[in-house]
Amino acid sequence: RPATARRAGSDQSGSQQQQPRYREYTFQSGDTLGRVAARLLGSEQKWRELYDLNRDVIDNPDSVSIGTTIKVPAD
């Protein structure tokens, strides 16, 4: 049984290494998903990527409240 426990631990650390890395951004006055995507991801067209990644905190992609903190893919 100890061998099984080691394998499980190895699988978990392998998963952790493959997890995407994120930084956080907090919405300010005048921000939209498109503007944030353009500024942080290089293209306004990537707004949906931000929305999909943050559906747990964004109810309406057309109206994100000031002070909402979202995850943004890190380079």
Side-chain angles (χ1 to χ4, degrees):
R1 290 192 179 196
T4 303
R6 279 196 298 268
R7 268 186 269 154
S10 297
D11 290 344
Q12 288 175 352
S13 31
S15 297
Q16 289 173 349
Q17 292 175 354
Q18 294 175 4
Q19 289 178 349
R21 293 176 35 181
Y22 302 104
R23 55 188 161 160
E24 291 185 339
Y25 178 81
T26 302
F27 268 70
Q28 301 172 15
S29 180
D31 279 343
T32 65
L33 281 175
R35 288 180 185 152
V36 172
R39 189 166 55 247
L40 301 179
L41 301 178
S43 172
E44 189 172 327
Q45 301 301 318
K46 293 185 177 183
W47 71 268
R48 182 166 287 286
E49 182 179 344
L50 291 178
Y51 176 56
D52 288 340
L53 184 61
N54 292 283
R55 286 181 182 257
D56 57 329
V57 294
I58 299 174
D59 294 323
N60 179 353
D62 295 322
S63 178
V64 181
S65 300
I66 295 170
T68 300
T69 298
I70 63 169
K71 294 180 287 192
V72 178
D75 296 334

